[in-house]
Amino acid sequence: MLGNEYAQARKQYVEEVRRSFNHAQPDEYEAEPQAGATSFFKVRLLIAVCIFAAFVLCDRTGSRFYNYTTKEVVSMLKQERFQSHLDAIREAWNSLSE
């Protein structure tokens, strides 16, 4: 019986010490990083690097991609043909993020 009383007293002492530090139990999911956002960013970055590498490769070798040369691609980007589409995407993104 003495062992049981000692165990109870020890348990009570430990609980009192914990309360004196005002230490709350950490939430298991609180410190977990948002893996979805970072992994999505990594995938987008990898795709962008691959597209850029393909563009540089086509430029260096003089090859065509879908019957477009790199000079034609650059001229299409400079024409701002896709500006209205980009503006619509920006507006949709802003409305989703708010």
Side-chain angles (χ1 to χ4, degrees):
M1 210 50 148
L2 249 88
N4 191 17
E5 290 175 6
Y6 176 75
Q8 290 295 333
R10 181 79 175 158
K11 184 177 179 180
Q12 184 179 7
Y13 172 74
V14 169
E15 289 176 4
E16 288 176 8
V17 170
R18 283 185 181 164
R19 273 187 252 127
S20 71
F21 285 109
N22 199 11
H23 180 60
Q25 291 285 347
D27 190 13
E28 292 179 15
Y29 303 104
E30 183 177 337
E32 194 171 298
Q34 294 183 352
T38 57
S39 64
F40 182 66
F41 175 73
K42 289 178 183 178
V43 169
R44 286 185 4 192
L45 183 64
L46 180 66
I47 290 171
V49 167
C50 290
I51 290 172
F52 181 73
F55 181 82
V56 170
L57 180 68
C58 288
D59 188 46
R60 295 289 181 202
T61 60
S63 58
R64 296 173 151 263
F65 187 73
Y66 285 106
N67 293 325
Y68 292 111
T69 64
T70 54
K71 291 180 181 180
E72 292 172 339
V73 172
V74 170
S75 68
M76 284 191 284
L77 291 173
K78 285 182 179 178
Q79 290 176 0
E80 298 181 4
R81 281 178 46 187
F82 306 107
Q83 191 62 38
S84 61
H85 298 301
L86 290 174
D87 291 339
I89 291 171
R90 283 188 189 116
E91 288 178 19
W93 178 257
N94 288 336
S95 66
L96 287 175
S97 64
E98 291 178 353

